[in-house]
Amino acid sequence: MKSINKIILIGRLGAKPEGRYTPQGVSVASFSLATNESWTDVDNNVREHTEWHQVVAWNKTADFVTEYLDKGQLVYVEGSIRTRKWTSSKNEDKKITEVIATQVLAMDKK
């Protein structure tokens, strides 16, 4: 059976997306996205949790988010989860889990 790696998030941008180009001229953008949840605990207190997601977009999707999206905007993100590992300049092993966006839609105006 084939496996599936798909994620759908609706949240608010933590900052204006940062756009750049690879040495080969490919457009890439990254941004943070906050999703929130709230619930009532057994003592009837309202509890809240915010989860921060690191999102990376490529090509035309990267161009769109860099040009049209801004901090605080509500957005829909669809993509897959990817984990990268590398060794820092201080010879420390680093790891990050990111959402590789295939679709990003603005859900409210700037």
Side-chain angles (χ1 to χ4, degrees):
M1 184 174 177
K2 196 174 177 182
S3 63
I4 297 172
N5 179 357
K6 185 169 188 159
I7 186 168
I8 295 173
L9 299 168
I10 296 175
R12 296 207 176 265
L13 293 178
K16 174 122 179 92
E18 178 185 310
R20 59 196 176 283
Y21 291 91
T22 67
Q24 295 78 22
V26 178
S27 179
V28 59
S30 57
F31 57 95
S32 59
L33 184 75
T35 55
N36 302 306
E37 62 179 315
S38 63
W39 67 95
T40 304
D41 65 15
V42 293
D43 298 323
N44 224 18
N45 297 315
V46 175
R47 309 276 298 185
E48 294 183 8
H49 175 73
T50 300
E51 190 70 34
W52 287 94
H53 311 273
Q54 299 305 311
V55 182
V56 178
W58 294 88
N59 302 310
K60 290 182 180 184
T61 306
D63 296 337
F64 168 78
V65 301
T66 302
E67 186 173 346
Y68 295 106
L69 300 183
D70 210 350
K71 179 180 179 176
Q73 255 186 300
L74 186 67
V75 295
Y76 167 96
V77 175
E78 188 174 318
S80 61
I81 296 174
R82 177 102 22 102
T83 301
R84 292 188 292 127
K85 298 177 185 178
W86 72 95
T87 303
S88 71
S89 58
K90 296 180 181 178
N91 210 27
E92 299 170 327
D93 290 335
K94 300 284 187 174
K95 180 178 170 180
I96 187 171
T97 300
E98 301 167 313
V99 174
I100 307 301
T102 54
Q103 186 174 13
V104 179
L105 301 171
M107 297 185 70
D108 64 2
K109 297 179 182 177
K110 282 187 183 181

